[in-house]
Amino acid sequence: MIDVGSPSPLYQYIAELQRPSILALLSATPLASKFILQNLSPLSQVIVSRLVVGTSRVDNSTLNDWVRNTKENRQLERSTLRQLEDLGVVNRGFRRDFEASESSPYDPENTLDVNVSLFLQLTDQFERGIKASFSLVGFSDEPFAHLTFEPATNPTLHPPLPPDLSPPQPSSLTFFSSSIWSSILNYLLGSFDNQIPAPEANVASFIYKKNLMTKGTECKIEKKGKRTVVVEKARPSKITRKGFAFMLMDVKGQVWSFLSSYLNDQPESVRHSHLVLFLALSYAQVGKAYKLTGWLTPNQMKCARDLMMFGMCFMKKEHNAKNGKDQFLRFYPTELCVGLLNGREEALSQIKSAPVGGGGDGDNRLKIIVQTNFQVIAYTSPPHSLLHLRILSLFCDKASIINLPNANIMNLTRDSVKTAFKNGITSGQIINYFKMHSHPILRQQMMEENMGTADASILPSNICDQLKLWEREGSRIVVTKCFMLQCNDVAEFEEVVRYDEDGGFIFGGGGGFDNSGSNNNDDGLEMETNEGSGIVWQNKARKCAYFDLKFQEKVEEFVRHYRSAQLRKMVERQQMMNIK
C-alpha cells in the first residue's frame, strides 16, 4: 500500500472538479491516474490496486471477501465507492448487495435504478492511464516526457540542452523562494528594506486582485477660480482583513491560495493544460534542470514562467545558439514547488523552511517560546529578522520589544491583542501561529512528555484561555441599526408581530392578515426577539417595535397594506349599517 502522507492541495483541487473534467484529465496524461492512486485513502488504494492487477471488475461476492461486513465498514465502503465514482476511477451505477435492504447515499428512497450495474469496474480512462504509468521508462529522470500518452522516444525531436555551466545550488533555490515570499509579506505590511526587495508588478496586481490589500489613491487637486482646492486626499494602500488572515497562514496555505486563484482565473482549456504541468512538477526532482521547449505546450511554457513570480520555478536567460538570442531555455523546480504539489510530509517540512521560515532546521527560521507571564521570545536571524518582528507586532506590544543579538523579547498585552482583533485577526490564528513557529527544542520536549502529541500543550493553557476571553469581550454588545414602528392600536401591533414570527419580513412570505391572532407577550413587558426575526425589540404596552433597518421597506409596505385593508373593512361596515 502506498503511504499517502499529508493530503496534497493539488489532489484536493482535482477532487473538487466535476467528473467530466477529471475524466478529461485522466484521458490526457498517465500522470493523473498515478497521482490520484497515490493520494487515495487506504481502503480505496486496496480496492483499486486489486482491480488493476485483476480483471478490472468484481461483483458483490468478491467485495464481500475483501471487506468484512460490519456496520462501520458499510459506511466506510459507501463513502469510498462514492469518492471513487466522483474521481472517475470506477464507473457509476454499481450497487452493493446490502444496499437493497437499507437506504444509502446512492439511493435514499430505496428505489431501483435502471442503470444499476452488477460489477464494480474501472473506467476506461483510469485503467488506461494507470497501466501506462506502470510501464513508464525513465519516469523519474524526465517526467515531462510523459505528459501525454504519445510515445516520446525519438531523440531527434527533443535534443538535449547543452550543460549549464553555472547551475543553481539547492541553497540558492531555497533563498530564491524565500526572498519572493518575504517580499510579498513585506508588501502586505507596507514596509520594505534593502535586504528584501519589492515584489514584481504582476505579483502586486495579483495581491490587489485577491483583495489582500486596497489600492491607494493619489491626491486630487482642482482649481476653482483663483483657488486650488484639494478634492480628495491621498490614501495609501492598506492591508485588508483578508490580508491579515493571509499573513498568519502557514506557508502551504499561502502559496496554494495564490496558485488556486491563478488556476481559477484561466479558461477551462488552459487550466486543463496547467494541471497536467502541475502533475509533472509533483514528480520532478528539486534543483534538476528541465527543458522549457520541446515537451511543453505554449500554454504550459507560459505557466512555467509565471510560476517564477511565486517562487515555484527558477529560470535564467541563456544564449541560444540557434537564433543568437538570450532567452529562457530550462527551469529548475524548487523545494517549495515539489513539496507543495506532492504533499508528502518530508517535503512539506522543507516548504516551511523556505518562505519566512516556518519549520525545518534552517538558520533563518523563526523559533518562538511563549511563557506563562505573556512574554514572547522570538529567535530570529537575518535577513528575515525585521519581517518576523513586523508580523509579531501585529498582536504583540511594540513598545515592549527588547532586541538582543539573536533574539527579541516582547509582551502580549490586552491592548495589542484587541488591536489585532479589530484588524480581523482571530485568537485561533494567533494560537496557530505560535504553534506553527514553536521552538523545535520545546516541541521535542512536549512530544516526549505527551507521547507524540505536542500541539495540545505546546502553549501555556492560560495564554490560550486569555486570548479567547479577550476576543469574547468584543462580542458582548452587538450594535444594530434600527427604526421604530409606532402602531395605531394593539390589533395592528399583534398583526405585525405575528407576521414577523411567521418569517414574512425575512423570507418574503407569511400568513397574511389575521386580526384574530394574538401575541404571547400579553403582560405588556419589553421583549427581545429570537434569531430569525426582523424585530430587535418590542413593547406591547406602548404598541411599538424596533426593526432591523434592512427590513424598513418591507415593514412599511406591510403596514400600508394592512391599514388600507382595515380602512376598506371599516367603510364596508359603515355602508352595511347605512343600508340597514
Side-chain angles (χ1 to χ4, degrees):
M1 187 181 302
I2 303 168
D3 183 14
V4 294
S6 178
S8 167
L10 177 59
Y11 169 76
Q12 295 174 352
Y13 184 88
I14 294 175
E16 293 175 358
L17 296 176
Q18 296 295 326
R19 180 181 164 92
S21 299
I22 300 178
L23 290 175
L25 190 63
L26 292 170
S27 302
T29 174
L31 302 180
S33 300
K34 182 180 178 68
F35 183 82
I36 289 176
L37 177 61
Q38 288 180 335
N39 286 274
L40 290 175
S41 62
L43 178 59
S44 300
Q45 287 183 351
V46 170
I47 294 176
V48 174
S49 299
R50 292 183 177 181
L51 287 172
V52 171
V53 299
T55 60
S56 77
R57 70 173 192 173
V58 294
D59 55 9
N60 274 290
S61 61
T62 305
L63 272 180
N64 291 334
D65 296 335
W66 291 358
V67 184
R68 183 177 298 176
N69 189 4
T70 64
K71 183 178 180 180
E72 293 76 13
N73 286 349
R74 288 180 182 181
Q75 296 175 352
L76 178 60
E77 191 177 354
R78 284 196 187 104
S79 61
T80 298
L81 295 179
R82 173 58 62 87
Q83 179 193 38
L84 293 177
E85 286 185 354
D86 293 340
L87 287 171
V89 177
V90 299
N91 291 322
R92 291 191 182 277
F94 176 70
R95 186 181 176 89
R96 292 291 278 124
D97 48 7
F98 56 76
E99 292 180 309
S101 58
E102 59 184 36
S103 62
S104 72
Y106 296 99
D107 193 6
E109 299 180 359
N110 201 22
T111 58
L112 185 62
D113 190 350
V114 295
N115 295 321
V116 167
S117 174
L118 299 177
F119 297 95
L120 177 66
Q121 185 173 4
L122 296 175
T123 60
D124 295 337
Q125 296 90 336
F126 182 84
E127 184 178 8
R128 180 193 178 200
I130 197 64
K131 290 183 178 179
S133 66
F134 288 162
S135 61
L136 294 180
V137 179
F139 174 75
S140 60
D141 295 330
E142 187 55 80
F144 298 94
H146 307 283
L147 294 177
T148 65
F149 286 94
E150 298 298 327
T153 57
N154 190 348
T156 59
L157 297 178
H158 307 284
L161 289 173
D164 190 354
L165 300 179
S166 57
Q169 299 299 319
S171 58
S172 62
L173 292 177
T174 301
F175 179 78
F176 169 73
S177 300
S178 175
S179 61
I180 285 181
W181 283 95
S182 297
S183 67
I184 291 175
L185 298 183
N186 261 312
Y187 189 80
L188 287 172
L189 292 171
S191 56
F192 305 98
D193 52 55
N194 296 329
Q195 294 178 326
I196 304 177
E200 297 181 3
N202 292 336
V203 179
S205 62
F206 203 79
I207 290 174
Y208 292 118
K209 190 173 183 179
K210 283 183 61 65
N211 196 28
L212 300 179
M213 292 186 74
T214 57
K215 282 189 176 182
T217 58
E218 297 180 356
C219 182
K220 294 184 178 180
I221 301 176
E222 293 183 0
K223 285 190 176 182
K224 294 184 177 181
K226 297 182 179 180
R227 295 186 305 165
T228 302
V229 181
V230 177
V231 179
E232 182 179 349
K233 294 182 179 180
R235 186 174 68 248
S237 300
K238 186 178 180 182
I239 186 172
T240 62
R241 288 176 174 263
K242 189 177 178 181
F244 280 115
F246 178 85
M247 294 286 300
L248 300 184
M249 290 171 61
D250 63 339
V251 176
K252 173 184 173 183
Q254 289 176 344
V255 179
W256 185 251
S257 67
F258 271 53
L259 282 183
S260 59
S261 298
Y262 175 79
L263 285 174
N264 294 332
D265 290 343
Q266 309 298 326
E268 185 174 359
S269 59
V270 177
R271 187 189 313 133
H272 181 273
S273 66
H274 288 2
L275 285 174
V276 174
L277 175 62
F278 285 5
L279 289 172
L281 286 171
S282 68
Y283 293 106
Q285 298 179 28
V286 176
K288 180 179 173 61
Y290 295 99
K291 294 173 54 177
L292 189 62
T293 59
W295 308 118
L296 306 184
T297 65
N299 287 329
Q300 291 170 342
M301 286 190 289
K302 181 181 181 301
C303 178
R305 289 191 292 268
D306 290 341
L307 291 179
M308 282 186 62
M309 65 181 181
F310 300 134
M312 305 283 285
C313 293
F314 175 79
M315 297 184 194
K316 59 180 180 177
K317 287 190 175 182
E318 303 175 63
H319 182 73
N320 191 347
K322 291 184 178 180
N323 54 23
K325 297 181 180 179
D326 292 336
Q327 57 186 168
F328 295 123
L329 300 179
R330 68 192 91 205
F331 63 95
Y332 298 84
T334 63
E335 290 177 340
L336 180 62
C337 175
V338 178
L340 177 69
L341 296 178
N342 63 30
R344 294 170 186 165
E345 289 295 336
E346 63 272 13
L348 289 176
S349 65
Q350 298 298 326
I351 297 179
K352 294 177 181 178
S353 63
V356 191
D361 299 323
D363 294 332
N364 293 336
R365 65 158 300 195
L366 173 64
K367 293 163 281 192
I368 295 177
I369 296 177
V370 182
Q371 303 191 95
T372 55
N373 60 354
F374 293 87
Q375 191 176 73
V376 179
I377 304 175
Y379 294 90
T380 63
S381 58
H384 304 300
S385 300
L386 292 177
L387 176 59
H388 292 150
L389 286 179
R390 289 172 187 140
I391 297 177
L392 288 171
S393 298
L394 295 176
F395 43 83
C396 292
D397 186 14
K398 298 179 182 179
S400 66
I401 296 179
I402 301 176
N403 297 315
L404 299 176
N406 66 333
N408 298 274
I409 302 174
M410 58 200 75
N411 295 326
L412 279 171
T413 64
R414 182 175 179 270
D415 292 337
S416 64
V417 171
K418 296 200 77 174
T419 301
F421 294 155
K422 291 179 182 179
N423 291 328
I425 299 174
T426 65
S427 61
Q429 290 172 338
I430 297 175
I431 293 172
N432 289 335
Y433 187 81
F434 284 146
K435 288 181 179 180
M436 181 173 57
H437 296 277
S438 59
H439 200 290
I441 297 178
L442 179 63
R443 179 174 292 274
Q444 182 64 29
Q445 291 177 351
M446 292 298 176
M447 290 185 68
E448 293 175 355
E449 294 176 3
N450 297 279
M451 300 183 67
T453 57
D455 282 348
S457 56
I458 197 70
L459 293 180
S461 58
N462 68 313
I463 300 295
C464 298
D465 294 340
Q466 190 60 61
L467 288 174
K468 294 176 182 177
L469 289 174
W470 282 337
E471 185 177 28
R472 291 176 184 174
E473 289 181 3
S475 58
R476 290 178 180 176
I477 300 176
V478 179
V479 180
T480 305
K481 292 184 178 181
C482 304
F483 77 97
M484 187 189 75
L485 173 67
Q486 183 64 53
C487 299
N488 293 334
D489 49 37
V490 176
E492 179 179 310
F493 173 83
E494 292 178 347
E495 187 64 27
V496 171
V497 173
R498 185 195 65 80
Y499 187 74
D500 176 72
E501 291 175 349
D502 292 341
F505 298 127
I506 295 180
F507 303 108
F513 305 119
D514 183 11
N515 289 333
S516 64
S518 60
N519 184 261
N520 294 330
N521 187 26
D522 293 331
D523 53 5
L525 298 178
E526 300 172 357
M527 199 176 154
E528 292 184 359
T529 62
N530 298 323
E531 294 183 0
S533 173
I535 297 179
V536 178
W537 182 87
Q538 57 176 292
N539 189 309
K540 185 175 181 180
R542 298 181 181 178
K543 304 185 292 293
C544 67
Y546 285 82
F547 285 84
D548 194 317
L549 190 62
K550 62 184 178 182
F551 300 114
Q552 183 173 2
E553 293 183 2
K554 293 183 178 180
V555 174
E556 291 177 348
E557 182 180 4
F558 174 83
V559 173
R560 184 168 59 252
H561 287 300
Y562 174 82
R563 291 176 179 176
S564 299
Q566 295 300 312
L567 181 61
R568 286 195 299 270
K569 290 181 180 180
M570 185 178 66
V571 172
E572 291 174 358
R573 285 197 299 268
Q574 187 67 33
Q575 291 176 349
M576 293 296 296
M577 292 177 62
N578 293 336
I579 293 175
K580 293 180 178 180

